Amino acid sequence: MKDTIVSLLNGAIDALKHQGVLPDDLQPNIKVDPTKDKAHGDYATNLALMLAKPAGKNPRELAESLIAALPESDALQKTEIAGPGFINFFAAPDAAAQIVAQVLDSGDAFGRSMMGKAEKVQVEFVSANPTGPLHVGHGRGAAIGDCLCRLLEATGYDVTREFYYNDAGAQIANLARSVQARAKNLGPDDESWPEDGYRGEYITDVANDYVAGKTVTADDREVTAKADADDLEAIQEFAVAWLRREQDLDLKAFGVEFDVYFLESSLYQDGKVNEAVEKLVANGHTYEEDGAMWLRTTDFGDDKDRVMRKREGGYTYFLPDVAYHLDKWQRGFTTVINEQGADHHSTVTRVRAGLQALEVGIPKGWPDYVLHQMVMVTRSGVEVKLSKRAGSYVTVRDLIDEVGRDATRFFLAARRADSQLTFDIDLARSQSNDNPVYYIQYAHARVSSMLRKTEAAGQPFDHALALANLALLGSDQEKAVLNRLARYPEVVQNAAKNREPQQVAQYLLDLAGDFHTCYNAVKVMVEDDTLRNVRLSLGLATRQVLRNGLDLMGVSAPEEM
């Protein structure tokens, strides 16, 4: 309906250009939005206010001209002018109801599009150091990142999911020393325990398996322990593989998979870091000071220059990040989205500056970033801070074990990434309308229950009869559901464009609310075959869109609850 109205307005503009009312070179961006109050119609536009000045008319006068110039259409029941010149559109009942036929005919494809035109997009997310189980912050990144990938795929992009492993540096060294200490029967309270060592129970598990000479198989490697507590290099190799396997299991439990696992260590082994350094030096953007090598990132918008190579030797984290993103560009990804925690905010400017300093044609503002805020987990109103397994934080698997995959994924992705999130375990476990996951899934299951009842009564759904009589969907509650269904494709596209999966979550909650209200107000199981089938078709269309949207969130759509 929205597309229909935009098309009609374009026709009116062309007619007014021909009449000399509007300038020939005028190319307005027509905005049509759903109305908040259905007494004011189904959709509204401010087009007359936008064009009043170039037309030399007052907005209400131009609104009258636009309405008069609208092409004939059976899709509209009437139009009205409101306020200073808004135009309200009332959809014809049978035209609005045709969305039911569209949904049922399209099925799982409803809401999908080719907006992206098969453009290659890489989404990097989670990218946790292999030093421990995934914590709830990683879980939020996993939920948002995976939903973004699903949205982009649904809108026609060719998506690659990538996990970047920081398998080099100080934290990995601390991991190895921690496991070694455990392998030598030392505890965290021992005075010789590494100062920055890891203390969770999983360190004991790693050490025990190492001493036992076990073999672990991660995504891309298999490592057999040497069982030598003095061989720190062998311990590190085994510990990284052990924790990568654990993170693989965490992600599988969460329903998240990756196409590419990229190792930080490979940047050094393959000469990518040196390649980046050579380009930056050759381009004249570096200088030596106090024994360190600096990059003039201030030339590219940073607030201060950044150290590339430390005085004592070795590169800072910033440099391999630049080399890694150069590799992404060289792999042909014109669009890259990094989903990371808000603590990465300071790296955005310096990485972009470093990429500009390479002078290889990378556009300013590349890559895109989606940064999520912290998550606080509560039970009975009290913050939950510790996990026995991890020792210092709540893990993703803790949440999945407590509330299940569906609630964990939905709750972590259902709010704007840049807003702090309180994960209420009690709410996520509750089977009540206050729990958004339950509320949405119950709407889906409710339609399935209706269908089972009609089958049991010997009155199976008659698709042809329903679609021939959709104009009978005339109550206010039914119209609310119809209008909501019609908005779904636009919601999906906007969520993909804006990198905001929470738009889909909110839409599903609104659709479920409209459906539950309609279900309570309009009886479906009536004697009249035609009316029953028409109303059941609205439920089936709702169920389909709920299923499609839940799939974008990575959440199941149960047939019964």
Side-chain angles (χ1 to χ4, degrees):
M1 179 56 65
K2 178 178 176 179
D3 290 342
T4 298
I5 294 171
V6 171
S7 177
L8 292 172
L9 286 169
N10 272 318
I13 290 170
D14 289 342
L16 293 181
K17 286 181 180 180
H18 184 71
Q19 296 170 21
V21 176
L22 293 175
D24 286 337
D25 60 352
L26 197 63
Q27 299 292 332
N29 180 22
I30 301 175
K31 188 177 180 183
V32 175
D33 294 308
T35 57
K36 294 180 180 179
D37 184 350
K38 292 309 165 188
H40 298 153
D42 299 296
Y43 292 89
T45 183
N46 65 347
L47 186 62
L49 284 79
M50 289 172 52
L51 302 185
K53 187 173 181 180
K57 292 178 175 286
N58 72 59
R60 286 188 67 92
E61 182 184 359
L62 183 57
E64 291 174 357
S65 298
L66 283 166
I67 290 174
L70 285 172
E72 289 291 323
S73 174
D74 293 334
L76 294 180
Q77 185 179 50
K78 64 176 180 176
T79 57
E80 288 181 351
I81 300 173
F86 291 97
I87 303 175
N88 294 337
F89 299 89
F90 294 76
D94 55 343
Q98 288 305 311
I99 190 64
V100 171
Q102 289 181 37
V103 173
L104 297 182
D105 289 346
S106 300
D108 293 344
F110 182 74
R112 303 182 78 88
S113 70
M114 283 305 297
M115 178 180 74
K117 300 178 181 178
E119 178 188 346
K120 286 180 63 176
V121 176
Q122 186 222 59
V123 182
E124 181 207 332
F125 58 112
V126 183
S127 294
N129 296 332
T131 55
L134 298 180
H135 57 61
V136 66
H138 296 136
R140 190 175 193 189
I144 294 171
D146 189 55
C147 288
L148 279 174
C149 292
R150 290 166 182 259
L151 278 166
L152 291 165
E153 287 171 338
T155 48
Y157 291 88
D158 179 7
V159 179
T160 296
R161 295 161 164 82
E162 186 150 314
F163 189 124
Y164 178 66
Y165 272 115
N166 294 100
D167 65 334
Q171 291 180 326
I172 298 299
N174 288 336
L175 169 68
R177 285 193 291 269
S178 302
V179 174
Q180 183 181 50
R182 279 294 192 188
K184 292 183 175 182
N185 296 316
L186 300 176
D189 295 330
D190 194 287
E191 62 181 16
S192 58
W193 185 262
E195 184 178 351
D196 296 318
Y198 296 94
R199 298 168 178 266
E201 280 195 358
Y202 67 92
I203 295 296
T204 303
D205 296 335
V206 178
N208 289 341
D209 284 354
Y210 177 78
V211 171
K214 291 189 176 181
T215 298
V216 294
T217 303
D219 180 71
D220 67 340
R221 66 183 67 187
E222 186 173 273
V223 177
T224 299
K226 289 187 177 180
D228 180 358
D230 292 318
D231 191 335
L232 189 60
E233 184 177 339
I235 291 173
Q236 177 171 311
E237 182 184 19
F238 180 82
V240 168
W242 198 99
L243 284 161
R244 287 194 58 187
R245 182 193 63 185
E246 283 296 289
Q247 291 184 355
D248 288 344
L249 294 173
D250 289 342
L251 292 166
K252 286 175 184 175
F254 208 41
V256 175
E257 296 181 353
F258 288 88
D259 303 304
V260 177
Y261 290 91
F262 195 102
L263 303 181
E264 179 188 1
S265 58
S266 73
L267 293 170
Y268 296 94
Q269 294 166 4
D270 298 341
K272 296 285 186 178
V273 172
N274 286 336
E275 177 190 345
V277 173
E278 289 169 4
K279 285 182 181 291
L280 294 171
V281 172
N283 292 340
H285 296 301
T286 65
Y287 61 92
E288 300 275 347
E289 186 176 290
D290 298 330
M293 179 185 286
W294 296 70
L295 179 67
R296 290 192 183 89
T297 53
T298 49
D299 290 347
F300 303 95
D302 202 358
D303 59 345
K304 62 180 180 179
D305 292 341
R306 304 290 175 174
V307 174
M308 287 171 45
R309 189 187 64 232
K310 294 175 282 189
R311 181 187 304 125
E312 61 273 19
Y315 294 115
T316 59
Y317 278 116
F318 148 68
L319 189 62
D321 280 349
V322 172
Y324 174 43
H325 284 85
L326 174 60
D327 180 81
K328 292 184 182 187
W329 179 258
Q330 291 170 335
R331 280 186 274 157
F333 293 111
T334 54
T335 298
V336 166
I337 304 169
N338 293 340
E339 204 297 329
Q340 298 172 319
D343 56 332
H344 288 80
H345 185 271
S346 61
T347 69
V348 174
T349 301
R350 72 184 72 165
V351 168
R352 286 175 173 169
L355 292 171
Q356 290 301 298
L358 290 170
E359 298 182 9
V360 293
I362 296 175
K364 291 182 179 180
W366 188 95
D368 294 342
Y369 284 86
V370 175
L371 303 179
H372 65 262
Q373 289 287 344
M374 64 176 289
V375 181
M376 180 172 71
V377 181
T378 64
R379 182 191 283 111
S380 303
V382 178
E383 182 178 0
V384 180
K385 292 185 177 181
L386 304 179
S387 162
K388 184 178 181 183
R389 179 166 168 253
S392 59
Y393 55 82
V394 179
T395 70
V396 172
R397 246 188 282 179
D398 290 334
L399 283 186
I400 295 173
D401 291 345
E402 285 272 2
V403 305
R405 178 197 291 184
D406 285 348
T408 302
R409 285 190 61 122
F410 190 92
F411 272 59
L412 290 175
R415 293 196 61 188
R416 285 181 59 95
D418 59 4
S419 64
Q420 293 194 354
L421 173 65
T422 298
F423 192 111
D424 185 337
I425 289 177
D426 298 318
L427 177 61
R429 293 186 62 176
S430 69
Q431 294 188 354
S432 71
N433 290 344
D434 293 330
N435 179 349
V437 187
Y438 178 86
Y439 190 63
I440 294 165
Q441 289 180 323
Y442 181 49
H444 184 275
R446 207 169 204 178
V447 179
S448 297
S449 175
M450 289 163 49
L451 199 61
R452 289 193 296 270
K453 287 178 181 177
T454 60
E455 294 280 352
Q459 301 171 326
F461 174 62
D462 189 327
H463 186 275
L465 181 63
L467 266 57
N469 294 278
L470 292 175
L472 294 175
L473 296 171
S475 71
D476 289 343
Q477 294 84 0
E478 289 166 329
K479 288 180 179 178
V481 177
L482 292 171
N483 287 330
R484 190 76 65 185
L485 291 173
R487 294 176 203 168
Y488 178 70
E490 182 183 7
V491 169
V492 174
Q493 290 196 12
N494 285 339
K497 285 178 185 175
N498 298 318
R499 323 298 197 218
E500 294 182 345
Q502 84 278 355
Q503 290 189 25
V504 175
Q506 184 58 54
Y507 171 86
L508 292 172
L509 193 57
D510 292 339
L511 176 59
D514 290 337
F515 173 75
H516 287 308
T517 298
C518 184
Y519 180 88
N520 292 328
V522 180
K523 187 176 181 181
V524 176
M525 305 300 287
V526 295
E527 290 297 321
D528 186 307
D529 282 349
T530 302
L531 194 56
R532 183 181 63 256
N533 278 283
V534 168
R535 289 176 176 172
L536 188 57
S537 73
L538 180 61
L540 291 172
T542 301
R543 183 179 71 165
Q544 181 67 63
V545 174
L546 288 171
R547 181 187 303 145
N548 293 359
L550 286 168
D551 181 66
L552 294 179
M553 301 296 294
V555 175
S556 69
E559 298 293 320
E560 54 185 327
M561 296 178 70

